[in-house]
Amino acid sequence: MDENRLIFPPDSSFGPSEKKNIEQYLRGKQIYFSGIFTELKKKNFFSTSKQQQEEQKILIVSSFRFHVFSTSSSSKPLFDAHILDLLDYQITDGSSEQEATLKFNNQIIINFNNSEKVQELSIAIKKMFSLNFPGMQESKNNNNNNNNNNNNNNNNNNITLNNNNIGACGGFSRTYRCCSDFYGIQVREDICWEVDNLFESNNIKDLNLSDWPESPTPQQGRAMIDALKYNQWFESITVANSTPSTQCKIGNDGVHSINRVLETNKKIARLQLSNINARESWITPETWMSLAFNNYLTQVDLSNNSIEDRGVQFLCNDWLSTISHEIHSINLSKCNIGKQGLSNLFRAFRQNKWISKNLKFLSVSGNRMEEAASDMVLFLSEATALRQFEMSNCQPTWSAIKPPPTIQKSKETRIISKLDLSGNKLNFNASNKQQLEQNANDLSLFLSTICPNLADIDLSSTCPSPNSIYTILSSVINLIRLNLSDNELEEEGIVTLVDILCHTTLPKLKHLYINRNFTINTDIMNKLSISKVTSKLTGGGSGSDSSSGSGGGVGSGSLGNAVKSLVKLISPSSFSLCPLETLHFAGQNNGRIKGDIIPLAHALLKNDTITEIDISGHHAGDDLAITLGRVIQVNKTIKTLYWDENLTTTVGLEYFSIGFKRNQSIQHMPMLVLDIADFLKQPENSPSMQMIKERLRLVDTTTTVQQRVTQLASDIQSQIINNNLRKMKDAINKAVTRKRNEAAISNTMTSPKSMTSTKPPQQPQQPQSINQQQQQPQQPKSEEQQPIIQQDQSQQPQQIDSPIQTSTQSPQNDDFVEESLN
């Protein structure tokens, strides 16, 4: 029948008013079926008649629902049920007619006895499921063919859908609308539009409920998850409530929906449920059993959930112990798991070889480890595929982390390349320096035995002593990335670290992070305001007062020694020993070295290995900006530069902008948001602003100092964009040139063979003597006999005037980790 059209038989008992009321109720809904059937009318309590009368009713099937109307109540339906309420549908053959039986929730049964419409009703129901759940079409049709009568088999082909009719992303939007109608909630049209128009064109196969600025409500998120039950497009589900603005805490009901999806969906391979407020679900066996029965999940992230030790017991018994397929990634960080729970967890990992032999990533950060470190060491010694392990802020017992003598070193079977130990204090429960050194020795033995191939280690906030730095680093000589930030190393620690690096202890080190390692007493620290800095810049006094940062910070003598050691580290004499590519040396509120940072920036003039440097947060003043403006005119290797929060004013930006116009290598430099914001807070008529204006010769112009600083920032960002476009264009031209050269070489290799194969056979010639061969003059080659490669080389490749519209990114710090993981 035609959609959106109701057909009443001529002999029906529905009058014009009843028909109008029904059409009014179903206005705007797609109608797939309508049929009249009879049913015994309920006997009135006061009726004296012994015979029950029959009553005509009409069954209407719309997009998502079944509606039943009668002549006695046509203004509203007698029965209204959703497609998901349908429990069973059967066709029974009588002696002379067929009858369809529909069973719904709440024990409601409809006996449709209009034999002429039974087959049409069957087609309509199958069409409902096919349109709303395209992924289940094949399996459901096969089941119907086996269970239903032969009369129904001929109708299955009538509801087969083309790919164009399914819709984008496996028909997600239509299924989501169906599930929203089932829960009685409003449909998010912005979500449907983005999925239909953006996801498939960008090949987005991760349904992330935090992708929208206005996150879905828990009920809306539940409907979105239910829409994946038979979806064949999406391959991962992400519910990550990391920030207050992007929160969709689906709760226990959302976990139940996840369980139903995992029972039927065979495409979901990655599941992330972070901070979803479902505490009761983690102590329910059904939650973990649904994970166990799904043989397609390879990555599971349950971080920031209150699983606790009680939930770990169900996790180990109902999930980990029953896994019979490869699991590549498990994240259980910040789950309030204690030492007993972690101990059970590592034992379960060891018992299941599917985990210990295939797991590549594991995170237990933010849980209380303590003595459970001994079980962790035993598991790590058997995890032959593990490449990245995170245990930050776990505070293990360092004596328990020491491997037993039975575990031997093995570079072939232990391939951990990235380790996160941040936040685990080496001086925890250490009563004296001797205990601290013993903890460092235990850690060193753990690293050399369990992680012999370590390339990336995070030791931030571990508080190692200067003497223990060498003990720890000497056990990981293959390091490529080292993070020692937030450790209060001070001058002694920095100098010790540089001496270690300059003596080839870490010959492969390329990325060094030593941020926020100085602490200055706030009672004696003078924090200069911008007005004071500007007055010193324009004051014309002695050399020591010519810059806000030239005087250095409090205790600049000791801090200067640390900077001198870093200057030595990046000097050309140290390139062969420690060729750093990344150096992060940012300051903090109570640890700014001010003008003492300028020699480090000046040392970049002769450095040709560092591509990324961070010297932000030191309040060095405009002198740092002037120095950087000179450095970048000579240095052509720096691609990423961070130098915000250095009290830079318009004067410094002017000098930096001049040098930046002559630089074509910097591709990433965040805008100086903090410096510009602090500078714009100063009144335009203040003495400091007037002095800056006079120095910049802006007295006779209408441009204000504030306008000038924003203009300079905009020009710098435009130059960065041009540098990126120039690099993209050069890369494309090189690729085109390489392909043309390869094509030319292949032509030269194939063309002589073709010429010799078509050449007719010649009579053998008599061999000539060497003298005769030398006497014969060489005939000049004809144009046809010239090498083809000369023709191809003479054709210079045509340069591309504009880059292709593709997205490119600058190289990241962790590229080596990705290469090692691959």
Side-chain angles (χ1 to χ4, degrees):
M1 63 172 294
D2 296 336
E3 296 182 358
N4 300 327
R5 182 182 176 186
L6 286 176
I7 299 178
F8 291 89
D11 57 347
S12 66
S13 60
F14 288 88
S17 60
E18 288 85 358
K19 295 179 182 178
K20 183 177 180 180
N21 291 336
I22 296 175
E23 292 176 352
Q24 184 72 20
Y25 182 85
L26 299 174
R27 178 176 296 178
K29 297 182 180 180
Q30 290 183 334
I31 307 302
Y32 298 147
F33 172 81
S34 64
I36 301 294
F37 70 100
T38 59
E39 195 174 36
L40 292 177
K41 189 175 182 181
K42 292 184 179 180
K43 187 176 181 180
N44 193 352
F45 180 76
F46 299 100
S47 177
T48 59
S49 176
K50 296 182 180 180
Q51 184 178 3
Q52 285 184 299
Q53 298 180 354
E54 290 185 348
E55 181 183 17
Q56 278 193 355
K57 297 181 180 179
I58 184 171
L59 173 64
I60 300 174
V61 178
S62 61
S63 300
F64 311 130
R65 291 187 170 272
F66 297 88
H67 313 275
V68 176
F69 294 87
S70 66
T71 56
S72 58
S73 61
S74 59
S75 58
K76 59 180 181 179
L78 291 175
F79 173 72
D80 189 303
H82 195 270
I83 181 178
L84 296 178
D85 289 322
L86 182 62
L87 300 178
D88 189 18
Y89 171 69
Q90 294 182 354
I91 299 177
T92 58
D93 286 332
S95 58
S96 59
E97 58 183 14
Q98 287 182 332
E99 181 177 333
T101 303
L102 292 81
K103 296 181 180 180
F104 297 89
N105 287 327
N106 300 326
Q107 298 181 353
I108 297 177
I109 300 176
I110 296 178
N111 295 316
F112 187 80
N113 52 15
N114 190 342
S115 60
E116 297 180 355
K117 288 280 192 174
V118 167
Q119 294 301 324
E120 186 178 344
L121 174 61
S122 177
I123 295 174
I125 293 176
K126 293 174 184 177
K127 184 176 183 180
M128 288 179 67
F129 280 100
S130 299
L131 291 175
N132 295 314
F133 302 96
M136 68 178 293
Q137 176 185 349
E138 181 178 357
S139 60
K140 286 295 181 181
N141 285 345
N142 292 335
N143 292 335
N144 288 335
N145 289 337
N146 294 330
N147 298 330
N148 290 346
N149 295 328
N150 296 331
N151 294 333
N152 298 330
N153 296 336
N154 298 329
N155 297 324
N156 289 333
N157 296 329
N158 297 333
I159 60 172
T160 301
L161 298 178
N162 298 325
N163 292 331
N164 297 332
N165 296 332
I166 292 177
C169 299
F172 173 83
S173 295
R174 186 178 181 92
T175 309
Y176 164 61
R177 294 177 186 275
C178 178
C179 295
S180 298
D181 184 79
F182 176 70
Y183 291 119
I185 59 177
Q186 185 178 2
V187 177
R188 287 281 299 273
E189 296 295 340
D190 57 331
I191 294 177
C192 295
W193 188 91
E194 291 190 16
V195 171
D196 291 339
N197 297 277
L198 303 180
F199 275 48
E200 191 165 300
S201 59
N202 292 284
N203 198 30
I204 299 176
K205 297 195 174 184
D206 176 28
L207 183 63
N208 191 341
L209 271 61
S210 303
D211 272 349
W212 289 270
E214 183 181 353
S215 298
T217 63
Q219 288 184 338
Q220 291 172 343
R222 185 183 179 187
M224 295 174 66
I225 294 173
D226 281 333
L228 299 180
K229 190 170 184 179
Y230 299 100
N231 188 273
Q232 299 297 310
W233 171 263
F234 289 99
E235 298 178 354
S236 64
I237 303 175
T238 301
V239 186
N241 300 304
S242 56
T243 59
S245 59
T246 58
Q247 287 195 356
C248 181
K249 298 185 177 183
I250 57 178
N252 297 310
D253 293 336
V255 174
H256 296 330
S257 298
I258 292 286
N259 296 340
R260 291 193 296 267
V261 170
L262 296 179
E263 290 176 0
T264 56
N265 194 300
K266 299 181 180 180
K267 297 286 290 186
I268 301 297
R270 177 182 173 274
L271 177 64
Q272 180 180 356
L273 303 176
S274 179
N275 191 18
I276 61 173
N277 193 22
R279 185 173 183 177
E280 297 179 359
S281 298
W282 311 127
I283 57 177
T284 304
E286 288 77 9
T287 301
W288 306 110
M289 292 175 65
S290 64
L291 295 177
F293 292 152
N294 187 289
N295 294 327
Y296 305 94
L297 276 179
T298 59
Q299 301 179 38
V300 179
D301 184 351
L302 302 176
S303 58
N304 293 281
N305 291 298
S306 297
I307 297 179
E308 302 176 347
D309 290 354
R310 186 170 55 167
V312 171
Q313 184 177 359
F314 291 98
L315 182 150
C316 296
N317 296 334
D318 299 324
W319 180 38
L320 296 181
S321 61
T322 59
I323 289 178
S324 60
H325 66 283
E326 293 185 5
I327 293 289
H328 297 158
S329 175
I330 296 178
N331 189 345
L332 295 173
S333 59
K334 299 180 181 180
C335 290
N336 296 332
I337 304 176
K339 59 182 180 180
Q340 185 61 44
L342 287 178
S343 180
N344 296 334
L345 188 68
F346 290 124
R347 291 174 184 174
F349 286 157
R350 292 181 61 195
Q351 293 174 359
N352 193 327
K353 299 304 179 182
W354 285 101
I355 300 177
S356 60
K357 302 301 181 183
N358 297 290
L359 191 64
K360 298 180 180 180
F361 171 85
L362 175 63
S363 176
V364 293
S365 301
N367 300 301
R368 199 69 177 177
M369 184 173 293
E370 297 180 352
E371 288 80 6
S374 58
D375 291 314
M376 176 199 71
V377 172
L378 296 177
F379 162 70
L380 294 179
S381 64
E382 300 176 3
T384 57
L386 190 64
R387 299 177 182 271
Q388 182 175 349
F389 180 59
E390 298 179 356
M391 51 171 290
S392 63
N393 297 294
C394 286
Q395 205 49 64
T397 301
W398 295 107
S399 59
I401 207 173
K402 180 180 179 181
T406 55
I407 299 179
Q408 302 296 326
K409 295 182 181 180
S410 176
K411 289 187 176 182
E412 291 77 13
T413 59
R414 302 187 189 111
I415 57 175
I416 297 178
S417 60
K418 188 173 183 179
L419 179 64
D420 186 0
L421 292 172
S422 60
N424 299 314
K425 308 291 184 181
L426 283 170
N427 56 4
F428 182 73
N429 290 336
S431 57
N432 49 40
K433 292 184 178 180
Q434 184 178 2
Q435 183 65 37
L436 177 61
E437 296 301 325
Q438 182 60 40
N439 293 342
N441 291 332
D442 294 338
L443 175 59
S444 176
L445 184 59
F446 168 79
L447 295 176
S448 60
T449 306
I450 304 300
C451 310
N453 296 299
L454 197 62
D456 182 352
I457 187 171
D458 189 348
L459 293 172
S460 59
S461 301
T462 54
C463 299
S465 63
N467 295 330
S468 62
I469 293 178
Y470 177 80
T471 304
I472 297 173
L473 297 184
S474 60
S475 60
V476 284
I477 60 176
N478 295 319
L479 272 187
I480 299 177
R481 184 178 184 270
L482 173 62
N483 190 350
L484 284 170
S485 302
D486 303 296
N487 279 313
E488 299 182 4
L489 296 179
E490 307 295 343
E491 176 203 5
E492 183 182 1
I494 296 295
V495 173
T496 303
L497 175 63
V498 172
D499 290 340
I500 294 173
L501 299 180
C502 290
H503 287 82
T504 65
T505 302
L506 301 175
K508 299 181 181 180
L509 187 66
K510 294 183 179 180
H511 310 275
L512 178 62
Y513 301 83
I514 48 175
N515 301 315
R516 300 172 296 278
N517 271 298
F518 294 100
T519 303
I520 301 175
N521 192 347
T522 56
D523 296 334
I524 62 175
M525 190 174 87
N526 297 322
K527 189 175 181 180
L528 299 176
S529 62
I530 293 183
S531 60
K532 186 176 180 180
V533 171
T534 308
S535 63
K536 286 187 177 183
L537 279 169
T538 59
S542 60
S544 60
D545 293 336
S546 62
S547 170
S548 63
S550 60
V554 179
S556 60
S558 61
L559 299 180
N561 294 331
V563 175
K564 288 180 182 178
S565 63
L566 291 176
V567 171
K568 176 184 176 182
L569 181 63
I570 65 173
S571 61
S573 60
S574 302
F575 289 172
S576 59
L577 303 178
C578 185
L580 286 182
E581 297 180 2
T582 301
L583 177 61
H584 282 217
F585 189 59
Q588 59 181 346
N589 291 332
N590 59 342
R592 309 184 191 278
I593 63 177
K594 299 186 178 180
D596 289 331
I597 194 66
I598 294 178
L600 180 61
H602 194 271
L604 296 173
L605 280 170
K606 299 181 180 180
N607 183 282
D608 59 356
T609 62
I610 291 181
T611 60
E612 178 178 332
I613 187 167
D614 183 359
I615 49 177
S616 58
H618 289 295
H619 284 194
D622 285 335
D623 276 1
L624 177 61
I626 296 172
T627 303
L628 290 176
R630 296 168 179 172
V631 167
I632 60 179
Q633 297 183 51
V634 180
N635 190 300
K636 304 301 181 183
T637 58
I638 296 179
K639 297 180 180 180
T640 303
L641 176 62
Y642 303 94
W643 61 293
D644 196 3
E645 206 173 355
N646 274 296
L647 298 182
T648 306
T649 66
T650 311
V651 176
L653 277 180
E654 285 282 1
Y655 281 93
F656 182 82
S657 178
I658 294 174
F660 196 78
K661 292 178 181 178
R662 302 170 184 173
N663 179 278
Q664 297 182 359
S665 62
I666 295 181
Q667 301 170 9
H668 178 68
M669 189 188 76
M671 186 180 294
L672 309 180
V673 177
L674 297 177
D675 285 346
I676 294 176
D678 290 340
F679 184 75
L680 294 178
K681 294 178 182 178
Q682 302 298 316
E684 176 67 22
N685 298 326
S686 62
S688 59
M689 288 294 183
Q690 293 299 327
M691 297 176 68
I692 293 177
K693 198 171 184 180
E694 292 177 2
R695 185 172 180 180
L696 296 176
R697 300 177 183 178
L698 296 175
V699 179
D700 299 330
T701 64
T702 58
T703 304
T704 63
V705 179
Q706 287 88 343
Q707 291 174 347
R708 182 58 180 165
V709 72
T710 54
Q711 180 182 356
L712 290 171
S714 177
D715 293 342
I716 291 173
Q717 295 300 317
S718 299
Q719 180 66 23
I720 293 176
I721 296 175
N722 293 334
N723 290 346
N724 284 291
L725 292 176
R726 188 180 296 107
K727 180 186 177 183
M728 187 190 306
K729 180 179 178 180
D730 294 342
I732 294 173
N733 288 331
K734 289 180 181 179
V736 172
T737 303
R738 183 174 63 255
K739 289 183 178 180
R740 290 184 176 179
N741 290 339
E742 292 175 355
I745 293 174
S746 63
N747 291 336
T748 56
M749 297 178 63
T750 56
S751 57
K753 295 181 180 181
S754 61
M755 294 173 60
T756 55
S757 61
T758 57
K759 188 175 180 180
Q762 299 180 356
Q763 297 295 330
Q765 299 180 359
Q766 295 296 329
Q768 299 179 357
S769 64
I770 299 177
N771 295 332
Q772 292 176 350
Q773 294 179 4
Q774 292 178 353
Q775 293 176 1
Q776 288 183 356
Q778 294 183 356
Q779 297 296 331
K781 296 181 180 181
S782 62
E783 295 182 358
E784 297 179 356
Q785 295 175 349
Q786 294 294 331
I788 300 178
I789 189 173
Q790 294 182 2
Q791 298 178 5
D792 296 325
Q793 291 178 350
S794 63
Q795 298 178 359
Q796 297 295 333
Q798 185 178 1
Q799 300 293 325
I800 298 177
D801 296 333
S802 60
I804 298 176
Q805 300 295 330
T806 57
S807 60
T808 58
Q809 295 181 353
S810 58
Q812 300 294 327
N813 299 333
D814 295 334
D815 287 346
F816 67 94
V817 178
E818 296 177 0
E819 293 175 1
S820 62
L821 291 177
N822 293 331

